[in-house]
Structures are given as structure tokens and as C-alpha cells.
Amino acid sequence: MQKLGGFKLPPFFNYPPYFTLQPVRDTREKQIQLWKDLILDFCKTQKIFVIGLEEEFPLFTNHGIERSLTHEAREAFLSALVSEEWMDKGHRKCLILWYRLQDWADILIQFAKNNGLEDGVVTVEEIRTGTESQGTDLHGIDRTILNRALKLLEQKGKLVVFKGTSTDDEGVKFSI
């Protein structure tokens, strides 16, 4: 089995037709599902939150079989992701959510409980990069995803976000 770093690639990754959008609807649907699962799994294990269509992305080229996805195929596969969201109107950068926003919100609540923050205050940056988040899915989380999960919890009355003078000193007060 071929690997990309420590990531195991599925057998279809070595099958040249899977690097070309398939014309038959049923085959294309299967192809899109396989690519969707591969992209989400790879992004989760590598902690990748944004994919640019114009940028080099390891999965879009297989040097072993000398195949690369076309721009059209890249856009089709990223558009098929249920949890994806284009970050720009030109569809050049895609935000990857391997968890739904509600799942990220649940992870935040569990983080607060695990660290005794039920009525405590922590900075957004501490959630993203602090020692308490090391070894969790929150460590290194994309700021856009974190802010959306925080907003969801704020709307539910589970926390309050305090704006600071810069993004580095924004605070979160949990009230679980």
C-alpha cells in the first residue's frame, strides 16, 4: 500500500482513471464519494483546514502513475464535500470541515469541562495553541472554524466571547 508521509493511500489512488472525471453518472458518483472520503480523512489526519485549487495539494497528483487532477476535477471533488465551504467568490480556496460545526462546538464544551473552565475565562489563542489543547482536535484549529463554533455556542448561551484589542487577546467565558 502506497503512503504519503505516514498516511496510507487507498488502492484507487493508483488507478489512472480516477484522476479524470468520469463521464458515466454512476461511476462519477462513486469516484466523487471516494475522493471526498480521501480528502476528508487526509485533512483530518494532517490537520489541514484550507485547500486552494491553484495551490499544490499532495492528493491532487500521483507522481508514481504520472497523473494529476484537472482544475475541473479538483473543483468537482471539493464541491461535493458536504462540510465544505468556499472561502471566496471565485472558488479558489475551500474551508474543510471534517467535523460539522455542531461537533466542533461539542468538542469545545468537552474541552472546557476537561480543563475546569465551566465558569472560567480563556483566550481564543489558548484554545488554539495552548498546552491544554495539545493532543486534542482543537490544537491548531483554523481560526474561522473556531470562531464559527464559538458563535454557535454563544447563540445557545453556553459562552460569551469578549472582543479584545487584537485577535490574540479575545476571551471566552464558558457558562456550562
Side-chain angles (χ1 to χ4, degrees), residues 73-109:
R74 293 175 187 202
E75 190 169 7
F77 299 149
L78 291 177
S79 292
L81 291 170
V82 173
S83 299
E84 65 84 15
E85 184 174 309
W86 293 107
M87 297 179 76
D88 61 332
K89 291 180 183 175
H91 289 202
R92 290 184 303 273
K93 288 198 181 279
C94 179
L95 185 65
I96 304 294
L97 295 169
W98 58 79
Y99 294 132
R100 298 173 309 131
L101 278 179
Q102 181 58 56
D103 296 333
W104 281 114
D106 294 342
I107 290 168
L108 275 165
I109 293 298

Side-chain angles (χ1 to χ4, degrees), residues 115-132:
N115 290 288
L117 298 171
E118 284 93 339
D119 290 311
V121 177
V122 65
T123 67
V124 171
E125 208 47 41
E126 285 175 309
I127 294 171
R128 292 184 67 240
T129 62
T131 55
E132 293 85 5

Side-chain angles (χ1 to χ4, degrees), residues 54-67:
E54 313 298 329
E55 300 164 12
E56 281 299 312
F57 184 67
L59 295 179
F60 292 161
T61 301
N62 183 335
H63 298 288
I65 60 171
E66 299 180 0
R67 293 292 178 126

